[in-house]
């Protein structure tokens, strides 16, 4: 079982992603923007971060920049959930909204397995 | 299509060309914004339906999520309303359905209807007058009030207080929505109510203000009122909606 942090300011979207991941056997932690995500990461270890881009207080891109600059966390796999047509170049995977639950499960499995092997 | 655009542009003067280009850009931004705002609710609704369809979730297990799905549909309906009103405004065909309302009571009922998840902030309604009679379009007034309250919540840290003060000032009923957020710079205050007035740079990446405040101000003006913002960077912002007070004497017929 892996622990996944979901960062999104939309509670309904977090809830839906949480359900998909929990049904796939993962444990889920939530944060509603980047700053809260960083606080959560100080308290617990996670195997993967799934983050939205446009959020108040701290955006997904700012969150990723923070994590990439932190030597302890720079290797943490990060998936972005994006509704923006613009490129996000500092994530390990970009999932375009709307997405199918199967696509999300598949991408999560791939990121978790490549993380474990590398 | 490219050739066509080129030949049309050649016939235009410099000014028209710039205006046309700005208009094009504005339209493109609107389209992206609409696509962005729609993608959330579609993702949520599609997610639950797909989980049932692919057998991950039994149909009766979907029941607890129906309120969430209904909420997302409402969200799309509000977006539709904004799009239609913006288009109607462009054509000068936006008509209000005015009815007598009490501004303080109206605001209180909207705040009471906000879901607990939206209230990681302390939300306080301070009614300074027993009644503040106004003539307003219920749907449009709700859209303005929701817009400024949800912005206040969105742009200020959780745990802080958002105060909605309903008061009278001269011949106006006034709603002040006061937050303890980071505040808005003078430059951004000027752009806030423009048609695509998102905040600059980092703030723009955090969240799009989009058509919301532009439309809210236009709707306030159609009511004979006004929507303004003031801010002290570092201290917080205040959004003030003014609507003409309707006194008992004015309420004939």
């Amino acid at each position: 079982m892996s622990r996944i942090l979901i960062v999104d300011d939309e509670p309904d979207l977090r809830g839906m992603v949480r359900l998909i991941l929990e049904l796939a056997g993962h444990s889920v932690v939530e944060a509603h923007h980047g700053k809260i995500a960083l606080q959560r990461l100080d308290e617990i270890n996670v195997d993967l971060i799934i983050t939205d881009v446009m959020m108040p207080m701290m955006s997904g891109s700012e969150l990723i920049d923070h994590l990439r600059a932190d030597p302890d966390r720079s290797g943490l796999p990060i998936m972005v959930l994006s509704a923006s047509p613009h490129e996000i170049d500092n994530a390990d995977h970009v999932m375009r909204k709307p997405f199918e639950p199967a696509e999300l499960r598949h991408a999560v499995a791939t990121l978790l397995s490549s993380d474990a092997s590398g | 299509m490219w050739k066509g655009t080129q030949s049309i542009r050649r016939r235009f003067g410099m000014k028209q060309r710039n205006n046309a280009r700005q208009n094009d850009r504005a339209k493109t931004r609107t389209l992206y914004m609409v696509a962005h705002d729609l993608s959330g609710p579609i993702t949520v609704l599609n997610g639950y339906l797909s989980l049932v369809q692919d057998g991950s979730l039994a149909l009766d297990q979907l029941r607890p999520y129906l309120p969430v799905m209904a909420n997302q549909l409402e969200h799309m309906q509000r977006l539709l309303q904004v799009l239609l009103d913006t288009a109607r405004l462009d054509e000068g065909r936006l008509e209000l359905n005015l009815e007598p309302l009490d501004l303080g009571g109206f605001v209180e009922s909207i705040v009471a209807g906000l879901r607990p998840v939206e209230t990681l902030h302390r939300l306080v309604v301070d009614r300074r007058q027993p009644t503040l009679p106004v003539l307003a379009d219920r749907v449009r007034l709700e859209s303005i009030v929701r817009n400024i309250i949800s912005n206040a919540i969105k742009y200020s840290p959780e745990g802080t207080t958002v105060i909605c003060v309903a008061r009278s000032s001269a011949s106006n009923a006034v709603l002040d929505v006061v937050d303890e957020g980071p505040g808005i710079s003078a430059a951004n205050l000027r752009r806030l109510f423009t048609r695509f007035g998102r905040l600059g740079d980092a703030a723009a990446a955090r969240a799009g203000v989009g058509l919301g405040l532009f439309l809210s101000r236009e709707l306030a003006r159609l009511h004979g009122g006004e929507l303004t913002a003031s801010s002290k960077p570092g201290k917080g912002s205040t959004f003030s909606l003014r609507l003409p007070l309707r006194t008992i004497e004015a309420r004939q017929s």
Side-chain angles (χ1 to χ4, degrees):
Chain A
M1 187 179 79
S2 301
R3 190 189 264 168
I4 300 169
L5 173 63
I6 306 170
V7 195
D8 198 306
D9 58 329
E10 265 298 320
D12 288 350
L13 199 118
R14 282 202 310 270
M16 198 272 299
V17 173
R18 170 188 275 273
L19 181 64
I20 294 173
L21 297 175
E22 285 181 344
L23 287 170
H26 302 293
S27 107
V28 172
V29 188
E30 297 182 26
H32 53 279
H33 58 70
K35 281 192 178 154
I36 301 290
L38 289 176
Q39 284 172 19
R40 294 269 183 283
L41 289 170
D42 281 337
E43 298 154 7
I44 48 160
N45 287 317
V46 304
D47 304 295
L48 170 69
I49 296 175
I50 300 179
T51 181
D52 184 25
V53 183
M54 301 225 309
M55 292 180 287
M57 311 308 288
M58 186 190 277
S59 75
S61 303
E62 290 171 292
L63 171 65
I64 298 176
D65 286 344
H66 260 83
L67 294 171
R68 296 299 192 222
D70 177 348
D72 292 338
R73 291 167 180 152
S74 57
L76 196 59
I78 302 173
M79 181 196 298
V80 162
L81 301 180
S82 171
S84 156
H86 306 296
E87 290 309 313
I88 295 127
D89 49 15
N90 53 0
D92 296 294
H93 186 82
V94 178
M95 180 70 66
R96 300 274 171 208
K97 288 189 235 179
F99 50 82
E100 292 294 325
E103 288 176 79
L104 182 72
R105 283 192 293 260
H106 181 256
V108 164
T110 307
L111 284 173
L112 287 172
S113 67
S114 63
D115 183 48
S117 64
Chain B
M1 185 167 164
W2 171 242
K3 270 184 187 164
T5 312
Q6 288 291 301
S7 66
I8 289 165
R9 282 207 178 139
R10 235 173 271 132
R11 277 183 264 132
F12 272 38
M14 179 72 103
K15 196 174 173 192
Q16 283 115 316
R17 203 183 308 162
N18 282 343
N19 284 346
R21 207 176 293 154
Q22 270 175 8
N23 238 336
D24 273 358
R25 250 187 246 138
K27 276 184 187 150
T28 306
R29 280 189 71 169
T30 312
L31 290 175
Y32 275 140
M33 210 160 58
V34 171
H36 176 269
D37 288 353
L38 273 175
S39 71
I42 291 176
T43 305
V44 173
L45 290 170
N46 178 61
Y48 286 117
L49 292 175
S50 295
L51 284 173
V52 172
Q53 273 175 330
D54 74 12
S56 307
L57 201 66
L59 190 52
D60 60 330
Q61 288 178 300
L62 186 64
R63 183 165 291 279
Y65 302 103
L66 292 182
V68 170
M69 297 173 77
N71 182 52
Q72 291 299 309
L73 255 179
E74 254 175 56
H75 186 86
M76 288 203 273
Q77 278 162 346
R78 281 197 292 271
L79 179 64
L80 184 65
Q81 177 81 29
V82 168
L83 286 175
L84 284 175
D85 274 359
T86 308
R88 287 180 187 130
L89 200 65
D90 275 353
E91 295 190 321
R93 299 196 291 119
L94 205 158
E95 281 168 27
L96 301 175
N97 304 308
L98 296 177
E99 61 178 295
L101 292 169
D102 164 41
L103 183 64
F106 192 77
V107 170
E108 205 160 60
S109 69
I110 289 176
V111 169
L114 290 177
R115 296 181 310 153
V117 76
E118 291 171 272
T119 50
L120 294 164
H121 296 68
R122 226 163 64 86
L123 257 174
V124 180
V125 180
D126 177 4
R127 291 171 68 178
R128 303 263 170 94
Q129 311 284 330
T131 58
L132 289 168
V134 294
L135 270 186
D137 181 315
R138 180 176 286 276
V139 174
R140 272 62 179 243
L141 181 59
E142 177 169 348
S143 143
I144 301 171
V145 172
R146 264 179 174 275
N147 186 220
I148 54 180
I149 293 178
S150 66
N151 277 345
I153 292 173
K154 202 165 186 175
Y155 294 99
S156 58
E158 52 274 15
T160 59
T161 304
V162 173
I163 306 175
C164 306
V165 181
R167 61 182 173 95
S168 66
S169 165
S171 56
N172 286 316
V174 183
L175 166 67
D176 296 313
V177 176
V178 186
D179 70 49
E180 300 172 344
I184 305 163
S185 71
N188 278 334
L189 267 182
R190 279 193 294 276
R191 298 169 58 184
L192 210 53
F193 292 98
T194 58
R195 184 153 198 159
F196 303 98
R198 291 173 186 219
L199 305 183
D201 312 330
R206 286 185 202 125
V209 175
L211 288 170
L213 283 175
F214 165 76
L215 182 64
S216 290
R217 171 177 272 183
E218 294 299 319
L219 288 174
R221 287 178 176 172
L222 279 177
H223 280 84
E226 184 57 283
L227 179 63
T228 54
S230 62
S231 185
K232 289 192 186 117
K235 298 245 164 134
S237 307
T238 299
F239 284 78
S240 300
L241 169 68
R242 280 162 203 281
L243 297 176
L245 266 175
R246 294 281 149 167
T247 55
I248 312 268
E249 301 86 79
R251 235 176 45 202
Q252 337 97 324
S253 82

